[in-house]
Amino acid sequence: MIKKCLFPAAGYGTRFLPATKSMPKEMMPVVNKPLIEYGVEEAINAGMDGMCIVTGRGKHSLMDHFDKNYELEHQISGTNKEELLEDVRELIDSAHFTYIRQREMKGLGHAILTGRELVGDEPFAVVLADDLCVNEEQGVLAQMVALYKQFRCSIVAVEEVPDNETHKYGVISGEMIKDDLYRVDNMVEKPEPGTAPSNLAIIGRYILTPDIFELIEQTEPGKGGEIQITDALLKQAQSGCVLAYKFKGKRFDCGSVEGYIEATNHCYENIYLKDKKSSELAKKVTGKK
Ligand code: UTP
C-alpha cells in the first residue's frame, strides 16, 4: 500500500565533522553496515520497494553502495568473503533505487519537496537514516504502515525526551486517541527551552500523504531560515489530521557522537554477534565452509 520511502540525505552532517567532510553521514558504518542500509532494510521490511534518495554534492558513494561493484565481486568470487556481500546484494535485488539532487540545502521540508519528482502523487514514508531505529519484533516503519492502513493520514513517530532536550527537536502536543497514539493539535520546531508544548519529540520516521507537497510549497522559511517539515505538518494538522505515534523500539541519534557510539555498542551485541553465532551454527548443521 505504501510502496515508496524517501531518504533525505543531502545535509552536511556538521555535528560529525571532520568524518563527514568528504563522506556522507549516511554512509558512516554502525558495526559493518552503513546507516542508510539499516534504513533501507527497515523500509523493505515494511513492504516498500521504491527507495527514493535525495542526495547532494559529494554523495556519490550512496549511489555506488546500492549498485554492483564488478571488480570487487570478481575479486572475492569463490572465497568465503562472498557472504559478507550477501545481505546488500539481496537488498539491491529486492528494491529499486532512484536519486535526485537537492542543489541548495534549504532544510528538511525543502529536501522532501525535492523528492516529489520521485514519489509522485501517493502516500510515502520518510526515513532520516541518521536516526537508527531497532525493534526485535516489528520495525518502526512497519508499525506506522499498520496505523496508516487504519487512519489514512500523515503520521509522525515521536519519543519522550527529557525537558532539557526538547529544544533539539520538533515537539508536538495533542489529544491521546488510543494507547501511544495522539491527534496532533500543535507542533513547534526546536522550541526555546521552557516553552515546549510537551516532551514528545518527533524523530526521523514519517508517513506523509501527498498533499504535504503543496503545503511545503506554501511554507516560508522558519527556524534557522530553513523550510521546516514541522511547519507544513502543522498546517496539515490544522486543516485535516496528523497523528503522532509513540513507537515501540529503540532509537539512536547517530547524527551525534554519543548516539552513534551507543548504536554501535547495541548493534554489535544484539545484531552482529547474534547473526554471527547463528550463521556459524547454520554452517555446522549444513557442513558448509
Ligand atoms: P539534520 O539537521 O539532522 O542533518 O537534518 P544535517 O544537517 O546533515 O546534520 P548536522 O545538524 O549539520 O550535523 C535531518 C535530515 O535531513 C536531511 C539531512 O541529510 C538529515 O538526514 N537534510 C537536511 C537534507 O536532506 N537537506 C537539507 O537541506 C537539510
Side-chain angles (χ1 to χ4, degrees):
M1 161 196 285
I2 294 189
K3 300 308 284 178
K4 290 186 181 166
C5 185
L6 187 68
F7 295 81
Y12 293 121
T14 52
R15 281 171 295 159
F16 237 106
L17 284 169
T20 46
K21 187 164 171 256
S22 62
M23 179 180 71
K25 170 166 76 173
E26 298 74 16
M27 285 304 291
M28 301 227 312
V30 168
V31 191
N32 58 347
K33 221 191 278 182
L35 276 169
I36 191 138
E37 196 177 319
Y38 289 93
V40 170
E41 277 176 1
E42 192 184 323
I44 290 176
N45 290 335
M48 297 163 206
D49 61 5
M51 306 299 148
C52 310
I53 304 184
V54 180
T55 68
R57 278 178 294 283
K59 302 259 183 175
H60 277 110
S61 55
L62 280 170
M63 286 180 267
D64 291 340
H65 188 70
F66 295 113
D67 197 357
K68 275 194 180 297
N69 181 338
Y70 285 105
E71 210 175 303
L72 173 69
E73 291 183 27
H74 174 74
Q75 188 71 28
I76 64 173
S77 159
T79 74
N80 59 3
K81 292 201 177 117
E82 258 194 310
E83 70 178 38
L84 296 174
L85 283 183
E86 257 168 30
D87 285 357
V88 70
R89 272 188 191 150
E90 216 179 288
L91 204 89
I92 296 170
D93 288 342
S94 45
H96 51 266
F97 293 81
T98 53
Y99 302 88
I100 193 161
R101 273 170 81 134
Q102 186 190 14
R103 277 178 298 169
E104 288 175 274
M105 305 317 141
K106 292 189 191 167
L108 177 57
H110 183 260
I112 292 175
L113 184 60
T114 305
R116 183 182 201 166
E117 297 273 320
L118 306 179
V119 168
D121 191 25
E122 55 186 275
F124 61 101
V126 175
V127 165
L128 306 184
D130 53 348
D131 265 345
L132 175 59
C133 292
V134 292
N135 187 44
E136 274 196 11
E137 278 153 38
Q138 194 182 28
V140 176
L141 271 191
Q143 296 169 37
M144 293 172 77
V145 167
L147 281 174
Y148 178 80
K149 285 184 183 157
Q150 206 182 338
F151 293 95
R152 311 270 170 159
C153 64
S154 290
I155 307 171
V156 297
V158 292
E159 116 180 334
E160 276 177 42
V161 299
D163 290 342
N164 62 358
E165 288 195 11
T166 49
H167 66 282
K168 298 181 189 165
Y169 298 89
V171 180
I172 68 112
S173 66
E175 178 202 350
M176 192 195 253
I177 54 174
K178 65 176 199 167
D179 272 358
D180 299 330
L181 194 65
Y182 302 79
R183 190 188 169 110
V184 173
D185 56 33
N186 194 13
M187 249 183 203
V188 186
E189 182 62 27
K190 301 194 175 74
E192 297 300 325
T195 66
S198 78
N199 64 346
L200 290 173
I202 305 173
I203 62 116
R205 298 289 181 278
Y206 306 73
I207 290 201
L208 300 175
T209 51
D211 53 311
I212 196 71
F213 292 126
E214 279 186 14
L215 294 169
I216 301 174
E217 270 176 346
Q218 294 157 15
T219 300
E220 297 292 327
K223 201 85 186 193
E226 296 191 333
I227 297 177
Q228 300 289 354
I229 186 64
T230 315
D231 296 339
L233 276 165
L234 178 59
K235 287 186 213 157
Q236 203 179 33
Q238 286 165 343
S239 59
C241 179
V242 173
L243 298 177
Y245 170 56
K246 214 159 85 181
F247 62 94
K248 293 181 180 58
K250 248 178 173 310
R251 162 256 176 190
F252 300 94
D253 173 14
C254 293
S256 76
V257 173
E258 295 73 18
Y260 178 76
I261 300 298
E262 264 180 58
T264 304
N265 290 335
H266 178 93
C267 292
Y268 178 68
E269 275 161 32
N270 296 283
I271 301 177
Y272 180 78
L273 286 183
K274 275 190 192 163
D275 282 358
K276 205 168 158 195
K277 276 187 197 142
S278 63
S279 84
E280 273 161 16
L281 189 69
K283 276 182 206 159
K284 267 191 201 151
V285 173
T286 60
K288 209 172 133 193
K289 288 244 164 13

